[in-house]
Amino acid sequence: MTAPAAQRPDLAPQGHPQRWLILGVICLAQLTVLLDNTVLNVAIPSLTAELDASTSDVQWMINAYSLVQAGLLLTAGSSADRYGRKKMLIVGLALFGVGSLVAGLSQSSGQLIAARAGMGVGGALLLTTTLAVVVQIFDETERVKAIGIWSTVASLGFAAGPLFGGFVLDHFWWGAIFLINIPVALIGLVAVARLVPESKNGQGERPDLLGALLSTIGMTAVVFAIISGPEHGWASGQVLLTASLGVAVLAGFVLWELRIPYPMLDMHFFRNQKFVGAVAGAILVAFGMTGSLFLLTQHLQFVLGYGPLEAGLRTAPMALTVVVLNLSGMGARLVRKLGTPVVIAAGMSCLAAGLAAIAVLGGGGGYGGMLFGLVVMGVGIAMAMPAMANAIMSGIPPEKAGVGAGVNGMLAEFGNGLGVAVLGAVLNARFAALVPAAVGAASLPAALAAADGPAAREEIKEAFASGLEVSQLAGAVAVLAGGLLAAFLLRRAERAEAHAAGAAKAPVAETAKAGDGADSTGPAA
């Protein structure tokens, strides 16, 4: 005989009894995946020397991981929903561990590129299933706090990658940055097998194979165009052709999903104003955070003269602020007290204010103004990111939690690429306008190398700093406008839900009142 829901541990009102231990395990696995997004950047000199890697080889070593991961996020989430989130979490850990072993022992550029692609498959499965499991094992009272901790790991992984890579390379050879993933993967496999409950969509839907293929090709093409745009030029034939292909395939994906009875991504979700508001906000948080860090690292290295590791350390206060505030549960408490729309508006406003502070106060050559801006940005991210991730996941039925996690990850990837592309384009346009002679230079170092004398080099540095300021202010305006729009849509959606709930209760109340009247006139029992 099946036990009632209230007596089953995995369905207890407070969530799974070992939910916090499970969260720690999946966050450890997620951190390893996120570190590998940025850790390879500091190993480029070693790879170039020891593997005789060309510039193109190095670019593919870095991009193979992020391209495969971004392209498979939606498919990975859908597979987790259909075949079981625990199973896909185990498969993801195994693929990531094997890929890390092959990468660490690679003897050629081709082997390392292939290994990185395999790691990207495992990474896509891990990023989607970890968030889906969080949604399954935590109830509504604790879910925002749990998602806050989950998103904290994302910020920590992004910021700690270069620091971790620099530390490892100071003591070991370059392969160690991959081999260190193996014990983490093994620990994760044992812990997931023992602790994580299985959950999946029991509706018996047929797999949407064509949808999976179209979403993978479309997302890969779009992300590749964004990645290659700065190098080849946004108007180049390669970038335009790849971007057009990606957009066309994604349009075909949307049309296909609207036609079939069991779509991988139900397009009707986008009729939900809460979901659309959270989507807009999620893109712009990633846009502001990644785009600003892309600009900041250049400012610290090219303008203020810090080395890569020193620059990484000086951007760390933003991530540390996010970690401290999310671990304290600040975001979850604010959501309960003020509501999701207010918290998102306040968080995005802080993020925009931090960007503006860096532009205005951090351009004078000192670090103090930049530090203030980074901390304010961290406060904004700690408030807005968990609230929006929770809004996205709550806008999708629980049985589609994997797809919801895939959408969340896909939006983050899109926002990351968009932030680098748009703010980088603003920077380059301003730089070229102030120093026309540098238009033909591919980068600030190239322009400085071609400069004629100290005065010209100083002029080029000042022009680059001015371009940074303008691009950061442009990012601040975009983030503020997007945050207010997201908050407006979420507030309107909540009011519509409240109105619908009130309208549904009214007939019930009228029926009950009529029943009471009939009883009062009837005979006594």
Side-chain angles (χ1 to χ4, degrees):
M1 181 176 174
T2 304
Q7 296 175 10
R8 292 175 56 186
D10 58 325
L11 296 176
Q14 294 79 22
H16 193 278
Q18 294 178 301
R19 56 195 178 279
W20 295 108
L21 181 58
I22 294 171
L23 179 63
V25 170
I26 61 180
C27 281
L28 178 63
Q30 182 200 8
L31 178 61
T32 310
V33 173
L34 293 165
L35 283 173
D36 272 84
N37 275 314
T38 55
V39 73
L40 205 62
N41 293 332
V42 296
I44 289 173
S46 301
L47 293 170
T48 303
E50 297 187 29
L51 295 180
D52 194 25
S54 65
T55 301
S56 176
D57 290 337
V58 170
Q59 288 172 341
W60 275 108
M61 289 173 193
I62 295 171
N63 294 339
Y65 181 75
S66 55
L67 272 175
V68 171
Q69 185 173 286
L72 288 175
L73 281 169
L74 201 55
T75 303
S78 178
S79 299
D81 287 336
R82 175 171 172 77
Y83 300 111
R85 298 171 186 108
K86 178 177 180 175
K87 288 188 184 72
M88 291 299 104
L89 192 51
I90 290 173
V91 171
L93 282 164
L95 287 174
F96 193 77
V98 171
S100 298
L101 177 63
V102 176
L105 302 178
S106 294
Q107 300 297 312
S108 68
S109 298
Q111 290 176 9
L112 182 54
I113 291 169
R116 291 276 289 169
M119 291 171 68
V121 178
L125 285 167
L126 288 173
L127 289 179
T128 51
T129 49
T130 50
L131 181 55
V133 169
V134 169
V135 172
Q136 295 295 319
I137 64 175
F138 286 92
D139 69 354
E140 293 182 1
T141 61
E142 294 180 323
R143 190 173 297 151
V144 178
K145 182 178 180 180
I147 290 177
I149 295 173
W150 180 88
S151 62
T152 295
V153 175
S155 303
L156 185 61
F158 187 87
L163 303 179
F164 173 75
F167 173 80
V168 171
L169 289 172
D170 281 346
H171 297 84
F172 307 99
W173 97 110
W174 64 266
I177 62 178
F178 299 112
L179 296 182
I180 203 168
N181 294 336
I182 296 172
V184 176
L186 291 174
I187 292 170
L189 280 169
V190 173
V192 168
R194 291 177 61 89
L195 297 174
V196 176
E198 183 59 284
S199 61
K200 60 183 178 179
N201 182 3
Q203 294 181 354
E205 298 177 1
R206 292 175 295 175
D208 179 12
L209 298 179
L210 181 57
L213 180 64
L214 291 173
S215 71
T216 301
I217 293 174
M219 273 302 298
T220 303
V222 168
V223 173
F224 179 75
I226 292 173
I227 288 174
S228 57
E231 178 192 358
H232 298 289
W234 296 105
S236 67
Q238 176 180 328
V239 173
L240 290 177
L241 180 63
T242 309
S244 300
L245 172 66
V247 171
V249 172
L250 288 177
F253 168 72
V254 171
L255 293 175
W256 173 252
E257 297 298 285
L258 288 170
R259 286 185 54 192
I260 60 174
Y262 298 116
M264 183 169 71
L265 176 60
D266 190 344
M267 292 298 158
H268 295 98
F269 292 153
F270 291 93
R271 294 180 180 176
N272 184 330
Q273 291 181 359
K274 181 186 290 186
F275 182 75
V276 172
V279 161
I283 291 174
L284 285 160
V285 166
F287 175 98
M289 185 171 71
T290 308
S292 64
L293 283 178
F294 168 72
L295 299 173
L296 282 173
T297 51
Q298 295 186 68
H299 184 96
L300 287 164
Q301 293 181 66
F302 296 147
V303 177
L304 300 184
Y306 294 113
L309 190 57
E310 292 174 308
L313 285 170
R314 282 165 176 78
T315 59
M318 182 179 76
L320 291 175
T321 302
V322 175
V323 170
V324 170
L325 293 180
N326 275 341
L327 289 180
S328 72
M330 179 202 72
R333 289 196 298 271
L334 288 176
V335 167
R336 286 195 297 269
K337 186 174 182 179
L338 303 176
T340 300
V342 174
V343 172
I344 288 177
M348 298 290 273
S349 298
C350 284
L351 182 54
L355 275 168
I358 291 170
V360 176
L361 303 176
Y367 178 66
M370 189 176 293
L371 175 62
F372 172 75
L374 285 168
V375 171
V376 174
M377 285 178 66
V379 173
I381 293 167
M383 294 171 68
M385 188 181 286
M388 278 184 296
N390 184 63
I392 289 174
M393 298 304 290
S394 64
I396 289 181
E399 64 270 15
K400 291 286 188 180
V403 170
V407 170
N408 186 67
M410 192 170 64
L411 295 173
E413 290 286 344
F414 184 68
N416 292 342
L418 201 63
V420 172
V422 173
L423 298 187
V426 174
L427 165 63
N428 291 335
R430 177 67 174 170
F431 181 52
L434 293 174
V435 188
V439 174
S443 64
L444 176 63
L448 290 172
D452 185 17
R457 281 194 289 273
E458 192 61 32
E459 181 185 358
I460 289 172
K461 279 191 174 183
E462 290 178 1
F464 188 79
S466 177
L468 282 169
E469 180 179 336
V470 171
S471 58
Q472 284 161 340
L473 288 173
V477 171
V479 167
L480 179 61
L484 295 178
L485 173 63
F488 170 74
L489 291 173
L490 287 166
R491 173 64 74 189
R492 194 165 71 172
E494 287 185 355
R495 286 177 177 169
E497 287 179 358
H499 178 73
K505 287 179 180 178
V508 176
E510 290 296 328
T511 303
K513 187 181 294 183
D516 291 343
D519 289 342
S520 64
T521 57

PDB file of all heavy atoms in Angstrom, residues 117 164 183 188 224 261 296 346 348 405 494:
ATOM      1  N   ALA A 117      34.953  19.914 -25.596  1.00  0.00           N
ATOM      2  CA  ALA A 117      33.586  19.763 -26.115  1.00  0.00           C
ATOM      3  C   ALA A 117      32.821  18.716 -25.313  1.00  0.00           C
ATOM      4  O   ALA A 117      31.641  18.907 -24.974  1.00  0.00           O
ATOM      5  CB  ALA A 117      33.633  19.385 -27.600  1.00  0.00           C
ATOM      6  N   PHE A 164      41.731  30.911  -9.411  1.00  0.00           N
ATOM      7  CA  PHE A 164      42.017  29.495  -9.215  1.00  0.00           C
ATOM      8  C   PHE A 164      43.044  29.003 -10.242  1.00  0.00           C
ATOM      9  O   PHE A 164      44.007  28.309  -9.902  1.00  0.00           O
ATOM     10  CB  PHE A 164      40.718  28.692  -9.337  1.00  0.00           C
ATOM     11  CG  PHE A 164      40.901  27.213  -9.329  1.00  0.00           C
ATOM     12  CD1 PHE A 164      41.194  26.543  -8.150  1.00  0.00           C
ATOM     13  CD2 PHE A 164      40.795  26.484 -10.503  1.00  0.00           C
ATOM     14  CE1 PHE A 164      41.367  25.168  -8.146  1.00  0.00           C
ATOM     15  CE2 PHE A 164      40.970  25.111 -10.498  1.00  0.00           C
ATOM     16  CZ  PHE A 164      41.259  24.455  -9.324  1.00  0.00           C
ATOM     17  N   PRO A 183      38.383  14.268  -8.727  1.00  0.00           N
ATOM     18  CA  PRO A 183      37.874  13.897  -7.390  1.00  0.00           C
ATOM     19  C   PRO A 183      36.536  14.542  -7.054  1.00  0.00           C
ATOM     20  O   PRO A 183      35.703  13.931  -6.378  1.00  0.00           O
ATOM     21  CB  PRO A 183      38.985  14.373  -6.438  1.00  0.00           C
ATOM     22  CG  PRO A 183      39.842  15.298  -7.222  1.00  0.00           C
ATOM     23  CD  PRO A 183      39.736  14.857  -8.640  1.00  0.00           C
ATOM     24  N   GLY A 188      30.865  13.748  -6.177  1.00  0.00           N
ATOM     25  CA  GLY A 188      29.512  14.091  -6.596  1.00  0.00           C
ATOM     26  C   GLY A 188      28.721  12.871  -7.025  1.00  0.00           C
ATOM     27  O   GLY A 188      27.532  12.740  -6.694  1.00  0.00           O
ATOM     28  N   PHE A 224      27.975  31.365 -31.299  1.00  0.00           N
ATOM     29  CA  PHE A 224      29.230  31.438 -32.060  1.00  0.00           C
ATOM     30  C   PHE A 224      29.375  32.797 -32.745  1.00  0.00           C
ATOM     31  O   PHE A 224      30.471  33.376 -32.774  1.00  0.00           O
ATOM     32  CB  PHE A 224      29.284  30.330 -33.106  1.00  0.00           C
ATOM     33  CG  PHE A 224      30.533  30.364 -33.946  1.00  0.00           C
ATOM     34  CD1 PHE A 224      31.740  29.942 -33.427  1.00  0.00           C
ATOM     35  CD2 PHE A 224      30.499  30.839 -35.249  1.00  0.00           C
ATOM     36  CE1 PHE A 224      32.896  29.982 -34.195  1.00  0.00           C
ATOM     37  CE2 PHE A 224      31.644  30.890 -36.017  1.00  0.00           C
ATOM     38  CZ  PHE A 224      32.850  30.457 -35.488  1.00  0.00           C
ATOM     39  N   PRO A 261       2.049  18.297 -30.481  1.00  0.00           N
ATOM     40  CA  PRO A 261       1.256  18.188 -29.240  1.00  0.00           C
ATOM     41  C   PRO A 261       2.101  18.162 -27.973  1.00  0.00           C
ATOM     42  O   PRO A 261       1.649  18.573 -26.909  1.00  0.00           O
ATOM     43  CB  PRO A 261       0.509  16.860 -29.429  1.00  0.00           C
ATOM     44  CG  PRO A 261       1.319  16.086 -30.418  1.00  0.00           C
ATOM     45  CD  PRO A 261       1.940  17.092 -31.329  1.00  0.00           C
ATOM     46  N   LEU A 296      35.790  46.040 -17.238  1.00  0.00           N
ATOM     47  CA  LEU A 296      36.618  46.324 -16.066  1.00  0.00           C
ATOM     48  C   LEU A 296      37.994  45.678 -16.150  1.00  0.00           C
ATOM     49  O   LEU A 296      39.001  46.288 -15.793  1.00  0.00           O
ATOM     50  CB  LEU A 296      35.914  45.840 -14.804  1.00  0.00           C
ATOM     51  CG  LEU A 296      34.797  46.736 -14.267  1.00  0.00           C
ATOM     52  CD1 LEU A 296      34.089  46.038 -13.125  1.00  0.00           C
ATOM     53  CD2 LEU A 296      35.357  48.056 -13.818  1.00  0.00           C
ATOM     54  N   ALA A 346      14.604  47.108  -7.220  1.00  0.00           N
ATOM     55  CA  ALA A 346      15.669  47.647  -6.367  1.00  0.00           C
ATOM     56  C   ALA A 346      17.026  47.048  -6.739  1.00  0.00           C
ATOM     57  O   ALA A 346      18.043  47.755  -6.806  1.00  0.00           O
ATOM     58  CB  ALA A 346      15.352  47.345  -4.894  1.00  0.00           C
ATOM     59  N   MET A 348      18.026  45.741  -9.672  1.00  0.00           N
ATOM     60  CA  MET A 348      18.498  46.239 -10.976  1.00  0.00           C
ATOM     61  C   MET A 348      18.918  47.698 -10.884  1.00  0.00           C
ATOM     62  O   MET A 348      19.846  48.134 -11.576  1.00  0.00           O
ATOM     63  CB  MET A 348      17.406  46.046 -12.024  1.00  0.00           C
ATOM     64  CG  MET A 348      17.018  44.596 -12.264  1.00  0.00           C
ATOM     65  SD  MET A 348      18.286  43.649 -13.106  1.00  0.00           S
ATOM     66  CE  MET A 348      17.872  43.980 -14.805  1.00  0.00           C
ATOM     67  N   ALA A 405      15.004  25.242 -16.111  1.00  0.00           N
ATOM     68  CA  ALA A 405      16.426  25.465 -15.831  1.00  0.00           C
ATOM     69  C   ALA A 405      17.200  25.685 -17.121  1.00  0.00           C
ATOM     70  O   ALA A 405      18.132  26.507 -17.174  1.00  0.00           O
ATOM     71  CB  ALA A 405      16.987  24.270 -15.074  1.00  0.00           C
ATOM     72  N   GLU A 494       1.077  39.769 -11.235  1.00  0.00           N
ATOM     73  CA  GLU A 494       0.594  39.421  -9.889  1.00  0.00           C
ATOM     74  C   GLU A 494      -0.807  39.985  -9.651  1.00  0.00           C
ATOM     75  O   GLU A 494      -1.651  39.325  -9.045  1.00  0.00           O
ATOM     76  CB  GLU A 494       1.570  39.952  -8.841  1.00  0.00           C
ATOM     77  CG  GLU A 494       2.869  39.163  -8.767  1.00  0.00           C
ATOM     78  CD  GLU A 494       3.766  39.636  -7.641  1.00  0.00           C
ATOM     79  OE1 GLU A 494       3.417  40.645  -6.984  1.00  0.00           O
ATOM     80  OE2 GLU A 494       4.816  39.011  -7.405  1.00  0.00           O
TER      81      GLU A 494
END
